[in-house]
Amino acid sequence: MSCYKGKYADELIANAAYIGTPGKGILAADESTGTIGKRLASINVENVETNRRALRELLFTTPGALQYLSGVILFEETLYQKTATGKPFVDVMKEAGVLPGIKVDKGTVELAGTNGETTTQGLDGLAQRCQQYYAAGARFAKWRAVLKIGPTEPSQLAINENANGLARYAIICQENGLVPIVEPEILVDGSHDINKCADVTERVLAACYKALNDHHVLLEGTLLKPNMVTPGSDSAKVAPEVIAEHTVRALQRTMPAAVPAVVFLSGGQSEEEATRNLNAMNKLKTKKPWSLSFSFGRALQQSTLKAWAGKDENIGKAQAAFLARCKANSEATLGTYQGGALSEGASESLHVKDYKY
Amino acid sequence: MASASLLKSSPVLDKSEFVKGHTLRQTVVRCFPNAVPSSLSVRASSYADELVKTAKTVASPGRGILAMDESNATCGKRLASIGLENTEANRQAYRTLLVTAPGLGQYISGAILFEETLYQSTTDGKKMVDVLVEQNIVPGIKVDKGLVPLAGSNNESWCQGLDGLASRSAAYYEQGARFAKWRTVVSIPNGPSALAVKEAAWGLARYAAISQDNGLVPIVEPEILLDGEHGIDRTFEVAQKVWAEVFFYLAENNVLFEGILLKPSMVTPGAECKDKATPEQVADYTLNLLKRRIPPSVPGIMFLSGGQSEVEATLNLNAMNQAPNPWHVSFSYARALQNTCLKTWGGRPENVKAAQDTLLVRAKANSLAQLGKYTGEGESDEAKKGMFVKGYVY
């Protein structure tokens, strides 16, 4: 199969491999203005630019945390923001060996003729935007497609449309120097069992890799951000080892070895759950030609947010919570997490039914 | 909400209907009376009846579409060719001339507008859309955002415009538009690659589904560009592939075929091919293509002119209408309707009437061609001039 061999090929391969460095993972801090508003509201903080900046600064300047991160996904506003002393966030990251990433999709819209399924927008003018983001220091991008499990869902139309959108986004990113994170999230909502989730995940990933192939995407220069394979949110929970087995098996069946790393989304799992599941996957003795890491949003920030509560005097406490979760997940990528990184809220489920980003 | 009925169980085939020696394989489709509607059901939302009616109105006998949706940049080229500056006032003056041509609605059933024009008034202060409706012409709107390079292809293009299309379509409907148009292209000299064909077809299908969901009849236009040295057989081969894929994806996207219109290119040799084709040959190949690939539920096929001269475009259309067709076979012409009119106007108010007369002459000629009754008497030399521009960019 002939794939992208343009001027960024070597850089894409190097950056994708770096993001998958064992012991490191991604902080997803790309909440849109609307979504971050909800987070801030939950701790009674006003949704204004200074507060959004303050929260992100708290995270990026936590002493010792950046060593556990290979990348941070940003929202457009944040890419251009600075610390209180005037240092651009992208410089803070670069100095610590962390790659800045950028969310480039424009959200979901409904697919006509389906039962509430969606497709993701953002292809118009994407090439130009990628060029601007690269110039501003971004080196990877992210695009979130969403699918759901139901009696007749996901429909073939939804699968095809979302896979196609991901592939189009991916090649445009590569042509403009950004490593595309391919994210086909299958929502956890529902009362289905783990086998149903496994079946759907395998079908969706197969469609995604077929589409990436058709669009001549350079697989060595991409990352996958899938859901873990779990029972539905309304079903009984299972042990981390069971989740690990089903998830890794799904990847073995569908993901080409050329892809350097998988950076799982947490999708509403509690901080502790997400870490334990990732840890179990990395302890599993089976064929794993790609590294298994994290790209967590809520599952890295929840306790931190609660500890901060918008008050300067809490910054130390908040940063300690953030550091603890970063370290825990770093250990999970090595399969050495022993537990015990608990703080207030770490076990709290972060699932919101029919969650809208 | 209109939806086709669920599949009932298929008839069980009688053994005796089969050729001797072949074993019968019974196909039983189980009917689930209480099942959620299958994804096979077509769903064109609450606008289904209106879409069907609008499509039929545009596809009425003896009438076709005036394509006047040139983007500001392209309109600028037209104005420049008659020595006029590309200002809003000049574009307004030109479009006023077109829409107020007396009796235009006898020959023209629909007019495709550019966004600026949809929201404009004529120089007399009347809304363009109102003038058109009074003339018995359905207003349409170009909704695509133009062609850009297709990553991973052989220097081919894809058509942008899906982001936010649903809300834009709803706004255009509010403003009075009742059909939409989206032009993507396929290039034979560049392959076309499977990727480019797939992207063109899929983009059209998504646009069509979103349009119907918001009350606009989508005109489906995958233009197979005239550029190239290839012969008519190669065009025929590519056209069959493209249309097969377009209709497959339209079906996958639950598009209501009775509520769409097509805007194909005619099947002709490439512009730089040594062999030319007669109108009868063009008609023959093009009708074969339609019969093999276009379901009869599609009410109207409105051909684009793509650089043919005004007279060529009319002769070819006429040749296609010498016998009854399962669909209305008509025109959606821009240059092939406007060329002489533009030149006659030359930007001068005193020439408006004469210019409008030439527009009506061409509109009438194509109306006759739609009925298969065009004779070509009295055509001017200007009308016979080819309008092919190599590597033409809209």
Side-chain angles (χ1 to χ4, degrees):
Chain A
M1 158 211 142
S2 72
C3 63
Y4 173 72
K5 293 187 194 73
K7 75 181 206 199
Y8 292 110
D10 292 338
E11 190 182 329
L12 293 168
I13 294 174
N15 284 340
Y18 176 70
I19 290 178
T21 304
K24 293 185 195 276
I26 294 177
L27 163 63
D30 61 318
E31 297 86 356
S32 63
T33 308
T35 302
I36 197 67
K38 289 185 207 165
R39 303 268 187 279
L40 295 173
S42 76
I43 51 166
N44 291 315
V45 172
E46 208 191 335
N47 186 12
V48 288
E49 207 218 319
T50 42
N51 287 338
R52 296 194 291 271
R53 198 204 58 74
L55 170 60
R56 271 68 182 259
E57 176 167 353
L58 186 160
L59 299 170
F60 306 156
T61 59
T62 297
L66 293 188
Q67 67 182 295
Y68 301 120
L69 300 177
S70 48
V72 176
I73 320 179
L74 304 169
F75 180 62
E76 190 179 292
E77 179 188 75
T78 323
L79 185 67
Y80 297 99
Q81 274 179 336
K82 307 177 163 79
T83 64
T85 53
K87 191 167 188 178
F89 284 154
V90 294
D91 290 346
V92 172
M93 286 177 216
K94 277 202 196 138
E95 280 167 24
V98 178
L99 291 175
I102 176 74
K103 186 227 297 283
V104 301
D105 71 72
K106 290 189 177 168
T108 58
V109 287
E110 280 216 3
L111 268 176
T114 67
N115 184 21
E117 293 177 287
T118 63
T119 180
T120 300
Q121 298 190 128
L123 293 176
D124 296 349
L126 181 60
Q128 282 77 13
R129 288 166 52 224
C130 286
Q131 284 159 24
Q132 284 161 14
Y133 295 145
Y134 185 93
R139 289 296 177 270
F140 69 95
K142 166 245 169 132
W143 169 292
R144 175 176 178 261
V146 184
L147 294 150
K148 63 174 180 173
I149 297 180
T152 53
E153 290 84 25
S155 65
Q156 197 58 47
L157 173 64
I159 295 176
N160 291 350
E161 167 60 15
N162 281 289
N164 193 57
L166 280 165
R168 303 279 296 106
Y169 137 82
I171 188 65
I172 291 173
C173 282
Q174 292 195 326
E175 289 224 326
N176 294 286
L178 302 180
V179 171
I181 295 186
V182 173
E183 179 177 356
E185 173 170 3
I186 299 161
L187 295 173
V188 70
D189 302 48
S191 51
H192 53 274
D193 65 14
I194 194 169
N195 288 312
K196 174 73 176 172
C197 179
D199 169 61
V200 172
T201 303
E202 287 163 27
R203 273 195 294 129
V204 168
L205 290 181
C208 287
Y209 282 101
K210 167 64 171 147
L212 290 172
N213 184 311
D214 284 343
H215 288 263
H216 310 302
V217 174
L218 175 68
L219 293 179
E220 293 86 340
T222 65
L223 297 161
L224 183 71
K225 180 164 170 169
N227 49 283
M228 298 183 194
V229 177
T230 68
S233 51
D234 296 335
S235 292
K237 295 223 179 272
V238 300
E241 291 67 34
V242 176
I243 289 177
E245 271 168 23
H246 283 76
T247 306
V248 175
R249 188 182 65 182
L251 296 173
Q252 286 168 334
R253 288 174 173 179
T254 59
M255 201 168 81
V259 181
V262 179
V263 288
F264 289 97
L265 60 92
S266 47
Q269 297 175 36
S270 73
E271 290 176 328
E272 189 61 12
E273 247 182 302
T275 305
R276 286 186 179 280
N277 289 334
L278 181 63
N279 190 55
M281 283 185 233
N282 280 296
K283 285 176 77 164
L284 207 54
K285 296 209 184 319
T286 181
K287 276 182 283 196
K288 290 178 288 184
W290 356 254
S291 49
L292 299 175
S293 183
F294 57 92
S295 173
F296 292 163
R298 287 170 280 174
L300 269 171
Q301 300 179 56
Q302 183 67 2
S303 324
T304 309
L305 198 64
K306 279 214 154 80
W308 177 48
K311 301 187 178 11
D312 281 353
E313 58 267 30
N314 291 340
I315 289 182
K317 219 175 33 145
Q319 290 188 324
F322 182 60
L323 178 63
R325 289 285 14 120
C326 285
K327 181 159 190 279
N329 285 304
S330 163
E331 286 167 6
T333 70
L334 302 165
T336 59
Y337 179 62
Q338 307 285 357
L342 291 169
S343 51
E344 188 196 325
S347 303
E348 187 192 311
S349 165
L350 299 164
H351 176 246
V352 172
K353 210 172 164 72
D354 195 26
Y355 182 69
K356 300 258 185 297
Y357 251 67
Chain B
M1 190 164 75
S3 59
S5 54
L6 294 174
L7 278 183
K8 303 285 185 233
S9 47
S10 71
V12 174
L13 296 159
D14 186 20
K15 272 192 180 153
S16 63
E17 289 173 40
F18 269 62
V19 172
K20 226 175 169 155
H22 287 235
T23 48
L24 174 68
R25 192 162 78 96
Q26 289 195 351
T27 319
V28 177
V29 174
R30 270 181 280 138
C31 173
F32 299 102
N34 299 317
V36 169
S38 82
S39 55
L40 290 169
S41 67
V42 165
R43 176 193 159 280
S45 78
S46 51
Y47 290 107
D49 292 337
E50 188 183 334
L51 292 168
V52 172
K53 190 155 172 278
T54 302
K56 277 215 183 100
T57 302
V58 174
S60 47
R63 300 206 294 165
I65 293 177
L66 166 60
M68 43 184 287
D69 60 316
E70 296 84 358
S71 63
N72 288 348
T74 302
C75 195
K77 290 187 204 166
R78 303 275 185 272
L79 295 172
S81 77
I82 52 169
L84 280 190
E85 220 190 314
N86 188 12
T87 60
E88 210 214 312
N90 284 339
R91 294 192 294 271
Q92 181 193 40
Y94 180 51
R95 269 70 182 261
T96 300
L97 185 162
L98 296 174
V99 306
T100 57
L104 189 62
Q106 251 194 299
Y107 314 117
I108 301 294
S109 53
I112 321 178
L113 306 174
F114 181 61
E115 189 181 84
E116 178 189 77
T117 321
L118 184 69
Y119 290 93
Q120 250 179 358
S121 297
T122 62
T123 47
D124 304 313
K126 240 180 139 172
K127 286 204 196 138
M128 293 269 184
V129 290
D130 290 344
V131 174
L132 287 169
V133 170
E134 270 169 33
Q135 290 256 52
N136 199 25
I137 300 175
V138 180
I141 175 71
K142 187 224 305 278
V143 302
D144 70 71
K145 289 193 176 165
L147 301 166
V148 287
L150 177 60
S153 75
N154 188 24
N155 277 325
E156 296 156 288
S157 320
W158 67 285
C159 186
Q160 297 189 127
L162 291 177
D163 295 352
L165 182 60
S167 43
R168 285 194 299 127
S169 301
Y172 294 147
Y173 182 94
E174 278 295 296
Q175 184 62 10
R178 287 297 177 268
F179 69 92
K181 167 244 170 138
W182 169 289
R183 172 185 178 259
T184 190
V185 300
V186 168
S187 165
I188 296 181
N190 293 64
S193 66
L195 177 62
V197 173
K198 179 179 188 210
E199 175 56 33
W202 188 258
L204 280 167
R206 296 289 314 128
Y207 137 79
I210 294 171
S211 296
Q212 289 195 332
D213 221 39
N214 292 282
L216 303 180
V217 170
I219 296 186
V220 174
E221 179 177 359
E223 173 169 1
I224 299 167
L225 295 169
L226 199 53
D227 304 55
E229 299 171 340
H230 51 276
I232 197 170
D233 285 312
R234 177 68 184 139
T235 307
F236 186 46
E237 193 185 357
V238 172
Q240 286 183 91
K241 176 86 182 77
V242 169
W243 283 107
E245 213 156 329
V246 168
F247 273 97
F248 177 52
Y249 295 148
L250 286 173
E252 289 220 303
N253 279 271
N254 303 322
V255 172
L256 179 68
F257 291 176
E258 292 86 339
I260 68 174
L261 295 163
L262 303 186
K263 183 161 169 170
S265 30
M266 298 184 196
V267 180
T268 68
E272 286 111 348
C273 180
K274 295 177 265 73
D275 308 313
K276 297 291 164 213
T278 62
E280 290 65 38
Q281 283 173 314
V282 171
D284 203 39
Y285 273 86
T286 308
L287 287 176
N288 269 336
L289 167 72
L290 299 181
K291 284 179 204 158
R292 287 184 186 185
R293 292 290 182 263
I294 315 298
S297 52
V298 177
I301 305 183
M302 329 293 288
F303 282 96
L304 59 90
S305 50
Q308 298 174 41
S309 75
E310 289 177 331
V311 169
E312 240 183 304
T314 306
L315 283 170
N316 289 336
L317 180 64
N318 188 55
M320 282 189 251
N321 281 296
Q322 294 307 304
N325 291 310
W327 343 254
H328 174 81
V329 173
S330 185
F331 58 94
S332 172
Y333 293 164
R335 286 172 280 175
L337 273 170
Q338 297 180 47
N339 189 44
T340 306
C341 169
L342 182 71
K343 296 213 153 70
T344 306
W345 177 48
R348 297 176 178 294
E350 60 268 26
N351 292 342
V352 166
K353 175 147 194 327
Q356 289 181 326
D357 285 343
T358 65
L359 176 66
L360 289 164
V361 163
R362 286 263 51 84
K364 183 169 188 210
N366 286 304
S367 162
L368 288 171
Q370 200 291 306
L371 298 164
K373 299 195 170 107
Y374 172 71
T375 61
E377 270 179 48
E379 290 285 20
S380 71
D381 284 329
E382 184 65 44
K384 293 183 190 150
K385 262 205 217 143
M387 286 180 287
F388 172 68
V389 174
K390 200 176 161 80
Y392 183 71
V393 174
Y394 251 70

